[in-house]
Amino acid sequence: MAWKLDTKKPIYLQIMDEVKARIVSGTYSPGDKLPSVRELAVEAGVNPNTMQKAMSELERTGLVISNRTQGRFVTEDEKVLKSIRKDNLETVLNDFFKTMENLGYTREDVKKIVKDY
Amino acid sequence: MNELLSLNGITKAYGANTVLDNVSFQIKPGRIVGLLGPNGSGKTTLIKIINSLCTPTSGEVLIQGNRPGIESKKIVSYLPDKLYFNDYMTVKELMEYYMDFYNDFNQDKCLTLLSNLQIDVNAKIKTLSKGTKEKVQLIMVMSREALLYVLDEPIGGVDPASRDYILNTIINNYNPEASIIISTHLISDIETILDDCIFLQNGRIVVYNSVEALRMDKNMSIDELFREVFRC
């Protein structure tokens, strides 16, 4: 099984995160055609209906565009791509600050540490 | 009526011992369903009833509207929990036997699966290891283009690498018209390929839900939920 999935949480949400990460990191570029649901399901080792659900949800976010006859594509809409990057950044920063707080650093400390790093 | 399989009030009793107690459920086309429960909860009996190897004391099973019998056997591909081959045959002879029996047998698919799992078609079945025999039996069952696959403990004796291959085969052969029932104890291995799961306890259904809904609801994997529900 190539994809690391946590079976404690809904699988389709994790698939959405993985596909988003692949788009942000450039594995899938804007305008790229995505593999078929079946191919992705085999690759991830998940039920095809679950993969289908994740794809439909990604379509709803606008990140993925479905073309009835040709399959699914990554959006070329810069606004959507930017907002996904911003969401990801916020998640990472929130986690980072939380971790640092747990280690006993204040936000001011962290700012200084990052500057000097 | 778009149910592929419908069980209505199935009860099976051997004298005072009630193995299945008023079990009812429906399975629609295109679902992969895990039939889960501790030892002796009635899984195999339920599966035998679906395959008319066992008659319920009361209640009715319908497979595409037919009771289990000749018509249902044309569309149900069943993997029993025991090996039942004539072991003087070679794998190839067994495949031909299956082809004679079932119109929906796909020889190309069968040969591909055998070769991908590195099974020698000219080997006599009695010379194969226990795990390989199990793989051969599962390959025969999965090589049919059936509408309902009923798999009783399909991966128990199979090594983890082959297990992944078999699960991938199940995903790859997914057909929105067909459904699969899998009974197993290896929940963590199969739970990502399931749509729904049925928990059977002392012959009764205690859970029948979509696995994603259960994960969302309980914040637990199906494996953990099973361990909690059936804690000894």
Side-chain angles (χ1 to χ4, degrees):
Chain A
M1 311 264 152
W3 295 23
K4 282 226 156 57
L5 299 166
D6 176 2
T7 48
K8 283 182 191 150
K9 298 178 197 143
I11 302 290
Y12 83 95
L13 293 173
Q14 299 174 66
I15 295 172
M16 288 177 68
D17 287 344
E18 173 69 25
V19 174
K20 278 183 197 166
R22 288 180 178 200
I23 291 173
V24 169
S25 70
T27 308
Y28 302 143
S29 307
D32 272 3
K33 185 178 191 300
L34 290 174
S36 70
V37 165
R38 190 183 298 260
E39 285 163 353
L40 284 170
V42 171
E43 189 194 316
V46 303
N47 180 294
N49 292 318
T50 311
M51 184 56 74
Q52 175 67 43
K53 174 157 191 204
M55 287 298 141
S56 310
E57 290 295 316
L58 283 168
E59 274 173 38
R60 288 206 321 155
T61 67
L63 191 60
V64 166
I65 310 281
S66 150
N67 181 319
R68 216 171 271 273
T69 52
Q70 292 163 37
R72 288 192 178 78
F73 295 83
V74 179
T75 184
E76 295 180 273
D77 185 337
E78 272 303 320
K79 246 195 270 166
V80 177
L81 290 166
K82 248 186 210 155
S83 85
I84 295 291
R85 282 203 190 95
K86 199 163 159 263
D87 286 352
N88 283 348
L89 182 67
E90 259 166 38
T91 316
V92 170
L93 284 180
N94 277 335
D95 289 350
F96 175 66
F97 278 113
K98 212 176 262 164
T99 310
M100 292 306 273
E101 248 167 60
N102 289 341
L103 292 176
Y105 296 101
T106 64
R107 290 215 162 205
E108 288 308 310
D109 293 340
V110 172
K111 274 182 198 162
K112 196 172 172 304
I113 291 166
V114 169
K115 222 175 131 195
D116 299 342
Y117 186 74
Chain B
M1 215 209 66
N2 81 55
E3 260 81 17
L4 187 55
L5 172 69
S6 176
L7 271 75
N8 304 308
I10 293 292
T11 296
K12 176 72 184 177
Y14 296 98
N17 180 14
T18 305
V19 180
L20 291 172
D21 187 3
N22 198 19
V23 170
S24 299
F25 64 88
Q26 273 82 37
I27 293 179
K28 288 189 187 324
R31 311 297 285 182
I32 303 178
V33 183
L35 180 60
L36 314 174
N39 303 120
S41 55
K43 302 185 295 291
T44 294
T45 303
L46 187 64
I47 284 173
K48 283 186 174 166
I49 287 173
I50 295 170
N51 289 287
S52 75
L53 293 175
C54 181
T55 322
T57 309
S58 62
E60 186 181 52
V61 178
L62 293 174
I63 300 156
Q64 269 205 335
N66 293 310
R67 294 206 177 155
I70 294 171
E71 286 310 309
S72 79
K73 287 181 186 187
K74 287 180 187 167
I75 58 164
V76 178
S77 192
Y78 166 48
L79 179 86
D81 62 343
K82 293 187 192 76
L83 295 163
Y84 63 90
F85 298 148
N86 290 315
D87 62 6
Y88 64 83
M89 284 184 172
T90 64
V91 174
K92 188 158 172 271
E93 284 165 348
L94 178 72
M95 182 180 74
E96 284 158 1
Y97 203 61
Y98 259 81
M99 281 164 67
D100 281 345
F101 252 103
Y102 299 109
N103 288 330
D104 62 0
F105 193 83
N106 182 335
Q107 189 185 4
D108 292 342
K109 189 160 145 188
C110 183
L111 290 171
T112 308
L113 291 171
L114 287 168
S115 109
N116 287 346
L117 286 173
Q118 286 142 28
I119 295 168
D120 175 10
V121 290
N122 296 310
K124 279 208 160 97
I125 289 165
K126 75 171 147 209
T127 65
L128 303 175
S129 72
K130 182 164 172 275
T132 307
K133 281 181 195 158
E134 282 190 37
K135 285 182 204 166
V136 169
Q137 181 157 291
L138 181 58
I139 288 171
M140 294 303 151
V141 168
M142 292 311 291
S143 296
R144 289 183 55 197
E145 311 282 358
L147 285 179
L148 183 63
Y149 298 86
V150 183
L151 314 178
D152 197 353
E153 281 290 346
I155 51 173
V158 173
D159 66 81
S162 304
R163 214 175 273 168
D164 282 352
Y165 175 79
I166 288 164
L167 294 177
N168 275 340
T169 305
I170 292 177
I171 300 171
N172 214 357
N173 287 321
Y174 174 81
N175 163 8
E177 307 289 309
S179 287
I180 305 177
I181 301 174
I182 306 176
S183 134
T184 188
H185 295 301
L186 296 167
I187 304 173
S188 57
D189 279 330
I190 65 146
E191 68 167 273
T192 57
I193 75 158
L194 298 179
D195 285 293
D196 307 301
C197 68
I198 296 174
F199 280 13
L200 212 53
Q201 184 173 35
N202 300 326
R204 290 178 194 210
I205 292 180
V206 288
V207 173
Y208 182 10
N209 205 340
S210 110
V211 290
E212 290 279 78
L214 288 169
R215 285 187 192 112
M216 199 120 51
D217 213 33
K218 315 270 183 194
N219 290 315
M220 261 189 244
S221 67
I222 305 307
D223 187 59
E224 288 171 312
L225 182 63
F226 183 94
R227 288 166 203 261
E228 186 175 280
V229 171
F230 296 112
R231 178 165 293 146
C232 300

